Amino acid sequence: MKSTIPAAFAVLFFAATALPALASEETPPKPNIILIFCDNLGYGDIGCFGSTLHRTPHIDRLCEEGRKFTDFYAVSGVCTPSRAGLMTGCYPRRVNLHVDKKGGAVLRPVSPKGLHPDEITMAEVLKKAGYSTAIVGKWHLGDQPCFLPTRQGFDYWLGIPYSDDMTPRKSHPEWPPLPLMENQTVIDAPVDRTTLTERYTEKVIEWIEAHKDGPFFVYLPHATPGSTRTPYVAERFQGKSKNGLWGDSVEELDWSTGEIMAALKRLGIDENTLVVWTSDNGAPRRNPPQGSNEPLKGWGYSTSEGGMRVPCIVRWPGHVPAGTVCREPCLTIDLLPTFAELAGTHAPADRIIDGRDIRPLVFDESAAKSPHDAIYYYHQEQLQAVRSGPWKLYLPLEKKQELGRVVAKSNAPRLFNLDDDLQERNNLAEKHPDVVKRLTTLAERAREDLGDTGRPGKNQRPAGWIENPTARVQEGS
């Protein structure tokens, strides 16, 4: 049975936050939906978002034929919480996947923790609306059988259960060889990581061909550019870019996108398919640099703009206006309620969902604005910043959490106008105390609802948990 919140609270909550009805009286047909979700790809890593190093003609064409979202955010700067938010439409603290069992940033292999089976995923919402559902790629929301995608609304899964860098090592001899799984079964271990993008692309096309009469939902969470310092790339793409293996990886992702788009046209379903192309977080800091988050400040795994603002393209011929740009802030958690409405259903009404229906932004409706009065930047359990409109406030923190450590920081707030200052250089806190006060009030609202360091939120839900987890290994090994 799905977990619930009190009915009276649900009625009040959804009455207070529901969006006005769309202005258009015409209801578009149910589209097929393809969600392409890259791993650690930066804001400035593709041509249509400013890259001059990487050749991405297929992704750039997607942008020309669709709508570019410049202020689109992953809900976390690291991958497990980011994916938890995407799948549930909730801030990661809401579903208690902001930390692993020991307080780390992401789930590790053989973890007792995972996405609670009572949570309702994007796939479950669409499946209930009559969609066939598939995930081809990285899951990272629990590797135990009860947490796997086929228990969370997906009809089919081919992929790896966690990050591509989580392989056996001296410090973790209990970790198994990186498994490629099909549904609940390990079919290859250790998988050859140089083949993953090609294998995923072939499987997506094969699955689309088998379900072309639709409606279908395909979630393609790539393993690349990935978490390893030397990205894994098919041999035919190695050495082809101007930016080493990272660039080669990005250009292989572009090839994959082109193959999928060509298949849609060949099958005659291009005009009835919504494609969303984005990333789980920004590119991580490397020395020498590999990925790029330009013109944003900072790196992945952080709450800087470069850590959480990601490229996003939405394409649906005849419905999403081609060659247009949306500059209103929105997030990956908005995709679940938006997909639900496009599918002729609604987001779950028996629990708090933080995402909002952004169809007015997708369809470029007149005077459409962001449905969020605030966007919250959490790193693990700590609320570090809040955005409202163009304003971003870094909260005063005596001890700021960074990936794997705590560092002392100034106890003064920092305020930036992101419309004018993407590099977050000009602190306007002293000039705009009224804005600081307003955003501080919004931050306190989040603390009460979702929590903060050492402070549980009133409306958090439990993660899944099992005793005695076991490794995913190939039969007979």
Side-chain angles (χ1 to χ4, degrees), residues 17 26 30 34 74 82 107 125 153 203 216 230 241 285 294-295 309 317 429 459:
T17 59
E26 294 185 8
K30 282 187 182 182
I34 299 176
S82 175
L107 296 180
V125 170
K203 179 56 68 174
F216 62 74
T230 53
S241 77
R285 185 195 300 270
E294 292 290 338
R309 198 191 296 202
N459 296 303

Side-chain angles (χ1 to χ4, degrees), residues 369-438:
K369 296 294 183 183
S370 172
H372 298 279
D373 62 350
I375 290 174
Y376 299 111
Y377 301 70
Y378 275 92
H379 181 75
Q380 295 176 253
E381 71 266 25
Q382 187 175 59
L383 180 61
Q384 296 187 348
V386 58
R387 175 175 177 174
S388 182
W391 297 104
K392 180 177 181 180
L393 177 70
Y394 285 92
L395 300 164
L397 301 169
E398 291 184 4
K399 293 184 178 180
K400 180 182 177 183
Q401 292 179 352
E402 292 184 355
L403 198 63
R405 62 183 184 143
V406 176
V407 296
K409 286 290 178 181
S410 168
N411 210 28
R414 293 177 295 140
L415 179 70
F416 302 98
N417 187 320
L418 296 177
D419 283 353
D420 306 323
D421 185 15
L422 286 177
Q423 284 289 319
E424 303 176 74
R425 290 172 175 161
N426 187 17
N427 184 2
L428 301 174
E430 291 186 1
K431 293 183 178 179
H432 297 279
D434 55 327
V435 178
V436 172
K437 182 179 179 180
R438 180 169 64 85

